[in-house]
């Protein structure tokens, strides 16, 4: 028995050594993992968005403008009159360049997929043609083909107006070259074609070469209590709880209006495959605006994307757009199995009308009815013969409940 204390000390010493070895191994593992992440994602550090980057990009843009390589309706204000003034570089990555600027007292956003004008595919016909030798009909055909390739839409010659508004003149080649660089950017095509038909997309203000300007709006954030910074939209008047509730109801109604609009008002249904607060913004009149449409597709393009080989339904999920796998032929169905309304109810409306938001933060009139309607909307099920009727019923019910809630708030004032 006298040997037991020594044995205990030995066991204790061994346990400490094992613990120390484990901690050292754990720390070493984190060091190795951090090093690997740095190597794999070094661009996050090396391509930080700085004022130096932003000013250099715009200086290069103006140099190309002064040489006659590019043009645009904002070039003179940016490069000569100094009425378009650089403010901040917001995003600088291989996929997108985003710069905040001030144009005649109005905040705007300048965007381009690539930094340098010459990085875009060159239009070889410009080398072969004299100053004005390319027929305008050929340009319109070229635009229509590019739109079909990018968006899957068939355009007539008289529908391409927003994408080609220039006319022949001394800078005609620069106009065509600038237009061609913009046509290689899907988002520009999307916003340009829809801005005259939809209040729910960003407005194009103008362009200079391969950079295009859009209205400045503050995006939503999933971590924000109300998803969207309401105080930035309509000012300090929204400080009260009732004002926040009223604003959220107005925004929810605008979301429903956007759903109906995208489903019914174009030649093809428009599918939103990445629905999250960060991809939307709210104007001062509380209109919902889609500000990132990299994952928005019209029906023809959507069908092409979904119709892929599969071994199960999980292979037919494209972000927020789902399809069903036909196991007999091992192909995903071309028809989307869910819809925009379902995803908005699930990812946006649940956050507003769920029980966790009851209390001092946000409490709505008809809260139980809204909660139930949102739950049913988010779980409409997959596409079948009754899917359209179920969606329409859910849309009507939500619209009715929100309108009644508006009226109750007005009566309470």
């Amino acid at each position: 028995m006298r040997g037991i204390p020594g044995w205990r000390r030995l066991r204790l010493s061994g346990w400490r050594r094992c613990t120390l070895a484990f901690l050292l191994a754990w720390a070493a593992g984190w060091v190795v993992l951090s090093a690997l992440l740095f190597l794999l994602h070094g661009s996050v550090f090396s391509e930080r968005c700085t004022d130096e980057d932003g000013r250099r990009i715009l200086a290069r843009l103006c140099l190309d403008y002064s040489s006659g390589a590019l043009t645009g309706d904002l070039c003179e204000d940016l490069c000569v009159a100094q009425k378009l003034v650089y403010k901040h570089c917001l995003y600088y990555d291989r996929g997108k360049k985003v710069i905040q600027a001030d144009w005649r007292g109005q905040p705007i956003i300048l965007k381009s997929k690539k930094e340098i004008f010459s990085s875009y595919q060159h239009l070889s016909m410009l080398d072969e043609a004299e100053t004005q030798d390319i027929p305008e009909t050929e340009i319109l055909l070229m635009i229509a083909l590019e739109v079909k390739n990018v968006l899957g839409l068939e355009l007539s010659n008289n529908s391409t107006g927003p994408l080609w508004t220039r006319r022949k003149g001394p800078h005609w080649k620069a106009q065509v070259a600038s237009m061609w660089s913009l046509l290689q950017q899907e988002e520009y095509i999307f916003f340009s074609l829809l801005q005259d038909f939809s209040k729910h997309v960003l407005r194009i203000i103008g362009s200079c070469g391969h950079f295009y300007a859009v209205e400045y709006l503050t995006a939503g954030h999933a971590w924000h209590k109300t998803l969207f910074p309401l105080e930035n939209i309509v000012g300090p008047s929204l400080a009260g709880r009732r004002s926040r509730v009223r604003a959220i109801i107005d925004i929810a109604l605008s979301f429903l209006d956007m759903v109906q609009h995208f489903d019914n008002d174009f030649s093809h249904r428009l599918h939103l495959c990445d629905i999250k607060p960060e991809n939307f913004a709210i104007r001062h009149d509380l209109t919902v605006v889609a500000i990132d449409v990299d994952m928005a597709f019209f029906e023809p393009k959507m069908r092409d994307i979904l119709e892929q080989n599969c071994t199960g339904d999980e292979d037919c999920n494209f972000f927020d757009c789902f399809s069903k796998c036909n196991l007999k032929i091992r192909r995903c169905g071309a028809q989307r199995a869910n819809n925009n309304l379902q995803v908005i109810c699930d990812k946006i409306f649940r956050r507003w009308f769920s029980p966790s938001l009851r209390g001092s933060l946000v409490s709505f009139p008809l809260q139980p009815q809204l909660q139930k309607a949102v739950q049913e909307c988010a779980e409409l099920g997959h596409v079948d013969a009754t899917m359209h009727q179920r969606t329409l019923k859910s849309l009507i019910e939500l619209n009715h409940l929100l309108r009644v809630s508006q009226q109750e708030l007005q009566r309470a004032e």
Side-chain angles (χ1 to χ4, degrees):
M1 297 294 292
R2 280 177 290 188
I4 289 176
W7 170 248
R8 284 179 176 170
R9 284 195 299 273
L10 182 62
R11 279 174 38 182
L12 186 59
S13 176
W15 180 82
R16 286 174 176 168
R17 283 198 296 269
C18 289
T19 303
L20 180 60
F22 172 78
L23 290 173
L24 288 172
W26 181 80
W30 270 110
V31 170
V32 171
L33 181 61
S34 300
L36 286 172
L37 287 173
F38 184 87
L39 290 172
L40 288 171
H41 302 287
S43 60
V44 172
F45 302 96
S46 63
E47 297 192 43
R48 287 183 304 120
C49 191
T50 66
D51 284 337
E52 182 182 357
D53 293 325
R55 294 182 190 281
R56 186 190 70 250
I57 290 170
L58 295 186
R60 177 63 183 265
L61 182 66
C62 288
L63 186 65
D64 287 339
Y65 172 64
S66 64
S67 70
L70 58 82
T71 189
D73 49 8
L74 293 180
C75 289
E76 192 72 11
D77 280 354
L78 172 66
C79 304
V80 180
Q82 301 295 309
K83 294 179 180 178
L84 198 163
V85 181
Y86 169 87
K87 289 295 181 184
H88 306 288
C89 184
L90 299 179
Y91 191 81
Y92 181 75
D93 191 53
R94 283 168 290 186
K96 192 177 290 186
K97 310 292 179 288
V98 182
I99 293 171
Q100 182 181 343
D102 187 271
W103 180 55
R104 303 186 181 208
Q106 173 188 357
I108 62 170
I109 297 293
L110 293 169
K111 305 178 81 173
S112 175
K113 285 179 71 174
K114 298 179 181 179
E115 177 179 338
I116 302 172
F117 183 66
S118 58
S119 299
Y120 287 92
Q121 181 188 32
H122 181 63
L123 199 58
S124 57
M125 67 171 65
L126 288 175
D127 297 330
E128 303 164 2
E130 296 297 327
T131 307
Q132 298 183 14
D133 268 359
I134 304 176
E136 186 130 335
T137 53
E138 192 170 338
I139 292 176
L140 295 177
L141 176 62
M142 181 178 65
I143 294 172
L145 290 172
E146 190 65 18
V147 170
K148 183 179 180 181
N149 178 55
V150 172
L151 300 183
L153 296 180
E154 299 274 1
L155 291 185
S156 59
N157 283 351
N158 57 4
S159 302
T160 59
L163 298 171
W164 175 245
T165 56
R166 279 74 167 175
R167 293 295 178 264
K168 293 183 178 182
H171 304 294
W172 191 73
K173 274 195 174 184
Q175 291 174 1
V176 175
S178 299
M179 174 209 67
W180 187 241
S181 70
L182 293 170
L183 285 176
Q184 294 173 57
Q185 304 180 63
E186 295 88 344
E187 189 176 79
Y188 173 80
I189 297 176
F190 189 99
F191 288 145
S192 294
L193 288 177
L194 296 190
Q195 64 178 339
D196 292 334
F197 303 100
S198 177
K199 64 183 179 180
H200 294 292
V201 298
L202 276 176
R203 287 192 292 264
I204 297 279
I205 293 170
S207 64
C208 179
H210 54 302
F211 272 87
Y212 58 98
V214 296
E215 61 181 315
Y216 177 83
L217 295 173
T218 304
H221 289 286
W223 49 261
H224 199 284
K225 288 181 179 179
T226 54
L227 297 183
F228 299 94
L230 302 180
E231 64 280 358
N232 294 343
I233 298 168
V234 283
S237 61
L238 281 182
R241 184 194 63 81
R242 186 175 295 171
S243 296
R244 281 203 306 272
V245 170
R246 188 168 58 246
I248 289 173
I249 289 174
D250 288 346
I251 294 168
L253 284 166
S254 186
F255 264 111
L256 296 182
D257 180 73
M258 183 188 72
V259 166
Q260 295 183 80
H261 177 54
F262 286 176
D263 279 356
N264 304 305
D265 293 349
F266 303 129
S267 57
H268 295 284
R269 179 171 295 179
L270 179 60
H271 298 273
L272 304 177
C273 294
D274 190 14
I275 292 176
K276 56 186 179 182
E278 289 81 358
N279 287 344
F280 298 94
I282 312 298
R283 291 199 183 103
H284 287 290
D285 63 358
L286 301 180
T287 297
V288 174
V289 181
I291 62 173
D292 189 327
V293 293
D294 289 339
M295 290 293 174
F297 307 98
F298 286 102
E299 184 71 25
K301 194 80 171 180
M302 186 81 265
R303 295 177 74 87
D304 288 342
I305 291 170
L306 291 176
E307 203 169 18
Q308 305 294 329
N309 294 330
C310 63
T311 57
D313 287 346
E314 64 277 2
D315 296 328
C316 304
N317 295 347
F318 183 76
F319 294 87
D320 290 329
C321 295
F322 305 153
S323 179
K324 299 284 285 183
C325 181
N326 185 332
L327 293 175
K328 291 182 180 179
I329 61 174
R330 294 185 179 275
R331 292 283 288 178
C332 297
Q335 186 174 4
R336 184 180 175 187
N338 63 343
N339 57 47
N340 292 338
L341 180 62
Q342 280 179 276
V343 185
I344 287 171
C345 282
D346 184 36
K347 291 193 168 184
I348 305 291
F349 287 2
R350 276 192 204 267
R351 289 283 304 274
W352 286 332
F353 306 116
S354 66
S356 61
L357 292 182
R358 287 185 180 182
S360 59
L361 176 60
V362 180
S363 180
F364 296 91
L366 307 180
Q367 178 88 39
Q369 297 95 316
L370 278 167
Q371 179 192 333
K372 182 184 177 187
V374 168
Q375 180 79 10
E376 292 174 351
C377 166
E379 299 172 358
L380 283 171
H382 290 297
V383 65
D384 57 25
T386 63
M387 178 66 167
H388 177 71
Q389 288 78 10
R390 296 199 310 271
T391 301
L392 185 59
K393 178 184 175 183
S394 187
L395 192 63
I396 291 171
E397 184 178 8
L398 282 168
N399 190 77
H400 170 71
L401 289 172
L402 290 168
R403 295 288 182 193
V404 173
S405 297
Q406 265 186 336
Q407 294 167 7
E408 289 199 11
L409 284 171
Q410 289 170 358
R411 283 196 293 267
E413 289 178 352

